[in-house]
Amino acid sequence: MSSASDPLAALGSLPGVAESVDSVRKAVDRVYGHRVMRRRSGEITSEAALRGARASAALSGADWALEEVRRRTDFGAEAEARTVGAALRLTAEAGQLLSIWRQSPLRVLARLHLVAAGSTAEGDVVGRPRLAGEPVDEPLVDLPLPSADEVAGRLDGLSRLIISGGSAPALVTAAVVHGELLALRPFASYNGLVARVAERIVLINSGLDPKAICPAEVGHAEQGAEAYLAAFEGYVSGTGDGMAAWIAHCGRAIELGARESTAVCEALQRGAA
């Protein structure tokens, strides 16, 4: 497929993107090669899921300590608790939707929003893209909202790109899926959480991180909301430099997620966790 018919692959030729792709692959390979992974990969996957959910919730305004997230069982009382609960549910649900993603990504996104909203949702706005005039509650992103018609058209285009596959590196595809969903904010709520878990699904499905042990959400949170939004504005700009900066930011997030899981491996190896 030529770059003209594969716009995601064309992004791979932007300055610095190839270096980010290579750096991410090396970071992922290092943690997969850790000796603990040969015996206890399930534990690493579970811990990465918990830490990823906590970090994604933090970016959406619920910055709880890891041990608080680990301890709590009630996530329905107030706004921050609902956000943390939504992030945890989404991370758990992601693994159930992998086989559907490449055939029907829009169905997966609708399911993700339904899961995020949970039993506290009211009305018929759950699990579908917003209609004209419907408000959006997104605590982190304050950019102008695309119209409902634009949302529908761009979601369809994103879906076709995912279904058609292509030769783009996993990092590029994951960054575009994340950025596009955050830019569109297609749902009435929880768009940031959905965008970040969709990035996770791409990384798993692509084979880059099949055991889901490199939580990019951790890296996004570690770099900070200010850096996240600055990089995201590069994506929204649509310029080559802006797109490359967003892809590099997402690549660094994956590397930091891999570093987090490496630390978990080291702790398990020492018998400290």
Side-chain angles (χ1 to χ4, degrees):
M1 182 178 288
S2 69
S3 60
S5 58
D6 187 0
L8 294 182
L11 293 176
S13 64
L14 291 172
V17 170
E19 290 81 358
S20 292
V21 169
D22 184 57
S23 183
V24 164
R25 168 53 69 187
K26 289 177 179 176
V28 172
D29 285 348
R30 280 195 296 271
V31 67
Y32 270 86
H34 197 286
R35 61 187 301 177
V36 169
M37 281 295 296
R38 294 195 293 270
R39 310 186 310 275
R40 306 175 72 174
S41 63
E43 293 173 69
I44 307 303
T45 296
S46 296
E47 189 65 17
L50 181 70
R51 294 180 184 221
R54 189 219 70 82
S56 190
L59 283 172
S60 287
D63 192 1
W64 288 15
L66 180 63
E67 291 311 313
E68 176 70 3
V69 178
R70 201 189 302 278
R71 180 188 66 82
R72 283 284 287 268
T73 57
D74 175 19
F75 295 100
E78 44 85 33
E80 286 195 8
R82 290 197 298 272
T83 297
V84 175
L88 289 167
R89 291 192 300 273
L90 283 173
T91 302
E93 186 73 11
Q96 310 303 313
L97 300 173
L98 298 175
S99 63
I100 306 172
W101 175 254
R102 286 295 297 270
Q103 286 73 44
S104 186
L106 297 186
R107 179 181 163 196
V108 169
L109 293 174
R111 173 63 184 169
L112 290 172
H113 185 246
L114 184 66
V115 167
S119 61
T120 61
E122 298 180 1
D124 64 349
V125 299
V126 177
R128 63 158 175 80
R130 56 186 166 82
L131 303 177
E134 289 182 341
V136 172
D137 178 15
E138 181 51 52
L140 185 61
V141 179
D142 193 28
L143 296 176
L145 281 171
S147 70
D149 286 344
E150 183 179 352
V151 167
R154 286 171 63 175
L155 281 178
D156 181 66
L158 183 65
S159 175
R160 285 187 278 107
L161 282 174
I162 293 165
I163 291 169
S164 66
S167 59
L171 167 61
V172 172
T173 303
V176 168
V177 167
H178 182 169
E180 192 69 356
L181 292 174
L182 202 59
L184 294 177
R185 282 149 288 160
F187 301 111
S189 57
Y190 298 116
N191 288 287
L193 296 181
V194 169
R196 289 184 288 275
V197 84
E199 178 184 50
R200 168 185 284 266
I201 288 173
V202 173
L203 296 173
I204 298 169
N205 244 359
S206 66
L208 176 64
D209 183 20
K211 294 184 183 293
I213 61 168
C214 301
E217 305 97 324
V218 168
H220 288 304
E222 186 171 333
Q223 293 178 90
E226 185 175 340
Y228 182 72
L229 289 174
F232 171 62
E233 287 178 6
Y235 177 86
V236 173
S237 76
T239 66
D241 287 346
M243 295 292 288
W246 171 247
I247 294 168
H249 183 88
C250 291
R252 180 59 179 158
I254 299 168
E255 292 179 48
L256 291 170
R259 187 179 72 178
E260 182 89 352
S261 286
T262 299
V264 173
C265 287
E266 294 292 337
L268 287 172
Q269 186 168 275
R270 295 191 305 268

